Amino acid sequence: MNFSKHANQKKIQKLNSRYTKIMKLMGTSSIRVLFFSLILVAVLGISGGIGVAKAILDASPELDYDSLVPVGYTSFVRNQDGVILQELSTGDANRIYVEIDEIPKHVQDAFIVIEDERFYEHNGIDMRGIFRAIFVNLKSGDLSEGASTITQQVIKNNVLSSVKSFERKIQEQYLAIQVEKILDKDKILELYLNTAGLGRGTNGVQAAAGRYFNKDVSELTIAEAAVIAGITQRPSDYDPVTNPENNRNRQLIILQYLLNQDKISNDDYLEAKAEKVYDKIQITNQEFETKSDYSYFVDEVIRRVASDLEVQKGYTATQAINLIYRGGLDIYITQDLRLQNILDASFADENNFPTIQDDYNVKLMYTASIQTDAGIIHHYEEKLLQSDEAAHEHIEILKNEWVGETDSLISDNALFIPQPQAAMVVMDYHTGQVKAITGGRGQKIGNQVLNRATMSKRQPGSTFKILAAYLPALDTMGLTLAKVYDDVPYTIQIPGAGSYSPKNWYDHAAYNYWGLSTIREGIQWSMNLLAVKTMNEIGIQTGFDYLKNLGFTTLVERRDVNGTIFSDKNIVLPLGGLTDGVTLLELTNAYGAIANNGIYIEPSFYTKVLAHDGSLLLLKEPFTQTVMKETTAFLLTNAMEDVVKAGTGTAVRFNNMSIAGKTGTTSDSKDLAFIGYTPYYVAGVWLGHDDPERMSHNKRYHTLIWRDVMSKIHEDLDNKSFQRPEGIVQATICTESGKLAVDGLCTHDPRGSTARTEYFAAGTAPTETCDVHVKITICKDSGLLPTVYCPTDSLVQRVYTARTEPLDPASWDPARPPRIRDYVYELPSTIENEYCNIHTHVEPTPQPLPNTIPTQPLEYP
């Protein structure tokens, strides 16, 4: 064993650990750079650190020209058969390589003066810049001054990983020196100007020139060049579209530096300073935002491949994007084009969506740029929600209001986003592969835009009852589908939050409470009180843990905002009222785990990525784990089949196909969802307004969309039943007690037999007989318990329900007493005034016989 090498590795690990801790305390990129540089000097200057430094440098990646120059090969998105579905070409507007002689000198200078003013003087590391940055930061206290050279940034963007460590920083500085030995300054600058991230998905000055000014880089003015150069350090903060004030401050600094360093004349400076560059940017942005080259599926593939390149391969974000668009990759995706076309056609059919006049049906986003006779340009923007016809009328009103007699309308853009919006996911739950997806209806405006299926966090409503309450109840807490709860007025005390009294969605119906009900009925009819009572019995933490295991990443465990603590760990968790919400993709995939016999598989959009030379770059091996017993998955599936056969989800039925699923409607009707599966696929659909708004139309549109898509997907597929696994037994139970049914009692309930055959996991079937149904002799004339005076022919036997939870009329709202479906069949009380009051003893008046005198009183029975 090489003890010296082992010791050096331990020293490096210790330095990395200390660096990480210090970075957490220091927190800014500037301080990190300075700290690293000083450490480097110290390490190289102390003889004891030579071994450590040598080990780090020996571990540096091989450096050659090809590793620095972004390649320029077209990448292909392919289906599983290798057929090309999409080209990600070098001609993409966001990533275009240009030679240094095509880039104006003032564009080059704008970047140099703000990023590395001694670029043409140093050898890759600027020691003067390091010490100047230390002085400036200490003096100003704002830590705004950095010290990475342009050469170092080329290394960071194209060679090293994005992992921040002591080792990586030393390698970056070492490799920067090596680069300076093999490339001249102009080539290094060319690489930097073509790979720098410049916001809004752009890399390089050519892409940025097109994105912000709709022109070639060769046409950029000095003012425009300063705008683009100002984006580099913090693209979000210095975004000239959303943060023009921040970018303007940065632009003015760059212009001043150009003037001070004699890169431009004073006249150039004044002209650039006065140029209305941000007006141009707004106009260009209005035009750009309507362009869309890729589908929602391809957008998601790009995001996920980029993320995996960073996490698995250690690429920087810039390296990952450059490789995807210019690396000649072959990306094999999971999309089934036939299924995708079916989904897209359904979403393009306006008949599948509500058009009721009472609801607004478009979200209008209207922007306009107007120039006054004095040459001043004003920008206006308005967002409103209304009908399509009213939106067009409103645009004309806005134009009349905004454009004066001497003004001219330079440009305007109106986006009509249909409302309510919708999203859908179709997955093969056997593999975890996403087969079709859409992130919205209507025109897709732009690339990498909001995908409502994977990015929007919305309330799941009652779909969470299965996942948060009933799944853990059946899986580990010993409950069964036959477990009975009393659906009656219920109040629970929540520590620190007072009391809570859940209501049912059928609170307005003939019976606003349903009395004794099983968990199966709770699933079939989406009964709120049963879900809350189940949650209370199993424990909130248990339900929360199951949700985490099912892959939900947006649940809030604790958030303190202005002194207020938000948490999704609460008793109403199964009702789906969450702090942020969940994505449709994760919700659909969670149900896929039930369909897949309890095995969770991470969703995947691609299977593999091949490098330009054909070698394997990425292999998607989704995370897989068992999250519930196979018997639990079957029991839930069987109960959810009742939802579709004769419950809240009957609208999704088609062609006698076996379907299990669950509806989800929030209490305020702002979010509608249905998640369902067949023996082949699981699919989830969501319907709602982008800005959550109560919907007053028929609440079945989302289920009809689900049926439309899934019926066409299954046209040529045979119907199959969900397979019953080993370990499932059957027993005939009473739905009023959850215990074994008794013939002559449970079968003679006045409302009909309450005996049904139920499925159980082996060992959980009841062994006791029903004790809820009792047979009582009553007087049929009065309906009350008989007395000794009731004639024999008035006596009958009748079955009654002995309630497990006594009703408490004193707690009811007098204005709205509960109407319970089995209340009239409650066992009569045995108090004195509940006995028969029709048949009573009446003392007759004796009548003596004629001419006789009674010798004793008459006796009466």
Side-chain angles (χ1 to χ4, degrees), residues 77-85 331-335 337:
V77 175
R78 301 177 182 268
N79 67 11
Q80 292 302 295
D81 296 325
V83 177
I84 296 174
L85 303 178
I331 304 172
Y332 289 79
I333 67 174
T334 63
Q335 184 183 46
L337 201 56

Side-chain angles (χ1 to χ4, degrees), residues 435-469:
K435 292 301 179 183
I437 195 169
T438 184
R441 56 183 288 235
Q443 179 187 3
K444 179 174 178 283
I445 49 174
N447 293 324
Q448 299 299 326
V449 294
L450 175 66
N451 185 329
R452 297 169 183 85
T454 63
M455 301 164 71
S456 293
K457 291 178 282 189
R458 302 296 292 237
Q459 300 305 321
S462 295
T463 60
F464 250 37
K465 291 173 182 173
I466 300 290
L467 308 175

